[in-house]
Amino acid sequence: MVQDLLPGKKIDHLDHRSLDQVLQLNQLQADRLADRPDIPAVELHLREDGAGYCLHGPLRRHNGRSAALERWIASVGAESPPQGNDTAPRQGCLAKPWANQ
């Protein structure tokens, strides 16, 4: 939601603190649209690539940590409904398996 509303710029380096802040911001948005069936669900591409964006392959190939992150993203997608509130927390979702790589 924030990306759509505010101008941004390319991130050259994403550290752990910034990633944690992004994940916390995302968590704050969970269920915000649950009672708004008039707003269509956004496809998040958690299980497969988007059309030229949200690419899983580069994450799998970059290094062990990014591959672990991609596996986590795909597992969250597998546990999520195909449409609707894909940001709602699932059991074990916030474990950050890539942090130990």
Side-chain angles (χ1 to χ4, degrees):
M1 206 174 341
V2 173
Q3 282 181 308
D4 291 337
L5 301 176
L6 298 174
K9 63 180 186 175
K10 179 178 166 274
I11 297 173
D12 291 320
H13 176 74
L14 181 65
D15 59 19
H16 289 281
R17 183 173 182 267
S18 298
L19 178 58
D20 285 340
Q21 288 176 334
V22 169
L23 293 173
Q24 288 172 2
L25 176 61
N26 181 266
Q27 185 61 39
L28 291 172
Q29 297 177 54
D31 294 324
R32 295 288 181 182
L33 299 176
D35 296 328
R36 296 292 310 267
D38 58 310
I39 299 175
V42 175
E43 193 167 341
L44 298 178
H45 305 289
L46 299 175
R47 291 170 252 184
E48 57 192 35
D49 293 347
Y53 62 98
C54 297
L55 303 177
H56 290 245
L59 275 177
R60 284 191 299 265
R61 291 187 301 270
H62 181 69
N63 64 29
R65 288 180 66 201
S66 65
L69 174 60
E70 191 280 330
R71 287 191 302 274
W72 176 77
I73 291 168
S75 71
V76 169
E79 295 176 13
S80 299
Q83 290 185 344
N85 184 6
D86 291 50
T87 62
R90 306 285 186 264
Q91 185 174 354
C93 269
L94 301 177
K96 301 180 194 174
W98 62 91
N100 298 324
Q101 300 292 317

